[in-house]
Structure formats: structure tokens, C-alpha cells
Amino acid sequence: MVDRLANSEANSKRINVVEGCFGAAGQPLAISGRVLIGEGVLTKLCRKKPKARQFFLFNDILVYGNIVIQKKKYNKQHIIPLENVTIDSIEDEGDLRNGWLIKTPTKSFAVYAATATEKSEWMNHISKCVSDLLEKSGKAPNSEHAAVWVPDSEATVCMRCQKIKFTPVSRRHHCRKCGFVVCGPCSEKKFLLPSQSSKPVRVCEFCYDQLSSGQLSATLPPRSDSYKFPMNNVSDDDDDEDSSD
């Protein structure tokens, strides 16, 4: 079905419409063999709070952006190659329902659909696209992903030292390895995580010691038995705010 749609006029028009909505600031999306599978609004758990984002699923990439005018204008375009994506379901809790994690080597975050049916459709389509891509390329599924950031609101004190309380002066920072919210003194060091940046990035004291001693890989995700926090409360940096910390 996807192969038949690849060079169809209807598919080309749909992709051109998406390109137009992102305007000149967006990347060109129309390439040979690319098919727009579906689109919709998902709630993305950002660093500060959940925010609505427009998502577009193609047969090889996942694109999302900020909604300026629904169905007419989007900005801050993000493009994620599906070949690197793994997804995991998140259990419902409170107002955050019908969610799943989108994990890649460079960035990982949680999204939530409006209904359980919508969640199932998104996850099934993403899984099918990833499976088809890996089958064609002969590559193994990705085993490496960036940490998913704990939202600022989930930590009133440093998650490492458990002592320093966050205030307008004592700011929150995020460890790029484990995703914990930590204080300045607990995250003064940097370490090179090649999948995330070509330059050393901020990591907490615990992860730095583990990485420096070789007990923790700079490319593989932290072990689940070493890092435990509620999966319904994970996020990444805000798309429209300074996320340097």
C-alpha cells in the first residue's frame, strides 16, 4: 500500500501542504518514496508542562512542530528518523492518559493521545514503519536512546543530594545521561555523549563518576535498575524555551 502511494499525486499534494504549513523555516519534506501516513495533535510532555504539538508520521520520519494556527501554520519543526526510534507504552495516571515514550539516541520524550484508540493507532503505525525500514535496510533495532527528562515540576529539591531546594536563585538543571533534575553543585561536570552532542554536555556527579570509571556507557542508556522514577512523569526539554540547562 505504501509503495503504491509513494508516487501518487494525492500523496505529493499532502506533503506539499505540510511543507507550506511550516513555511521557509521548515526543511523540505518531499523526496522520492516518502509517504505521509497520518497526522494529528498529540500532547507532548515538555520540561515545564504538557503542550499540544502537531505530529506528522511519514514512512521514514516523524515530524512535529508548535501549533501557530491549526491546520495552517506551524513552527519549530523537528524531524526524527524512524529508523532510530523505539516506543514504549506508559501506564495511565491522573490526567495523563493514553501515552507512550518516543525514544531516540539524541532525544526522548513522552506524548499522549486523546483516546486509547488513537494511542493504539499511532503506536501500531509507528511500529509498522520502523519494522519496514529495518527490514529493508537489514539493520538491527536501535538499542541506544537518550534519557527522558524528569519535568521540573516533579522535583522541588535536587534528585541527587536531596538537600538543595530549587528557588529562582538555585536553578534546576538536567543531567543529560539520566534525565534527573539536579542542582548546580551536583552537575558542575561535563562528559562527551557522542549520540547527543559533539561537545561535552552537563551530567550529574553520579553519572560522571560512572562514565569516567567505565561502569556506565557513554552511548547506551542507563540501566533500569539504577534509575527509577515514575514513567508517567518523564519529559524532555521544552521546544520553545531555553533548554541549555
Side-chain angles (χ1 to χ4, degrees):
M1 180 65 177
V2 171
D3 291 336
R4 291 202 301 273
L5 287 172
N7 298 312
S8 72
E9 183 177 352
N11 179 62
S12 297
K13 286 182 177 179
R14 292 177 70 198
I15 293 178
N16 287 336
V17 168
V18 177
E19 282 189 345
C21 287
F22 279 104
Q27 295 295 314
L29 299 172
I31 65 170
S32 178
R34 178 169 289 165
V35 175
L36 178 57
I37 305 297
E39 62 182 271
V41 177
L42 297 173
T43 299
K44 179 173 174 287
L45 201 57
C46 297
R47 176 178 177 178
K48 301 294 183 183
K49 61 181 180 180
K51 297 181 180 181
R53 297 286 184 258
Q54 184 73 26
F55 280 77
F56 300 91
L57 176 63
F58 296 82
N59 59 329
D60 63 332
I61 58 174
L62 182 65
V63 178
Y64 70 92
N66 294 7
I67 301 170
V68 180
I69 303 175
Q70 183 62 47
K71 295 185 179 299
K72 291 185 178 181
K73 185 176 182 181
Y74 310 110
N75 63 13
K76 297 187 182 296
Q77 183 190 73
H78 296 258
I79 299 177
I80 302 173
L82 285 178
E83 197 173 60
N84 297 327
V85 168
T86 56
I87 57 176
D88 289 321
S89 181
I90 303 173
E91 293 184 5
D92 294 344
E93 186 170 332
D95 293 333
L96 296 175
R97 305 177 66 83
N98 311 312
W100 68 97
L101 295 178
I102 296 175
K103 302 186 293 186
T104 79
T106 57
K107 188 174 188 176
S108 301
F109 53 91
V111 292
Y112 295 84
T115 66
T117 299
E118 187 179 339
K119 169 187 175 177
S120 177
E121 291 176 348
W122 271 101
M123 292 191 71
N124 288 339
H125 284 305
I126 292 173
S127 295
K128 181 64 164 59
C129 289
V130 173
S131 176
D132 289 347
L133 284 171
L134 294 177
E135 184 178 351
K136 288 181 179 179
S137 67
K139 295 182 180 179
N142 182 56
S143 60
E144 176 188 342
H145 62 82
V148 191
W149 285 17
V150 176
D152 286 0
S153 60
E154 295 302 313
T156 57
V157 298
C158 175
M159 296 178 71
R160 283 303 181 196
C161 68
Q162 300 288 321
K163 296 177 181 178
I164 294 182
K165 292 184 178 181
F166 296 121
T167 67
V169 176
S170 181
R171 296 177 56 198
R172 292 172 172 83
H173 303 278
H174 276 85
C175 171
R176 297 314 197 262
K177 186 60 183 176
C178 66
F180 277 19
V181 184
V182 292
C183 63
C186 284
S187 59
E188 292 180 335
K189 296 180 180 179
K190 295 185 177 183
F191 200 91
L192 181 63
L193 303 177
S195 63
Q196 295 190 39
S197 175
S198 59
K199 299 179 180 179
V201 293
R202 181 188 294 270
V203 293
C204 67
E205 192 77 25
F206 176 84
C207 286
Y208 181 84
D209 291 342
Q210 296 282 302
L211 289 162
S212 298
S213 65
Q215 296 181 56
L216 194 61
S217 170
T219 57
L220 294 176
R223 297 181 306 172
S224 59
D225 59 346
S226 298
Y227 300 87
K228 298 179 180 179
F229 49 87
M231 294 307 291
N232 64 298
N233 288 328
V234 290
S235 74
D236 74 334
D237 54 302
D238 272 328
D239 302 319
D240 52 356
E241 299 181 26
D242 181 12
S243 60
S244 58
D245 292 321

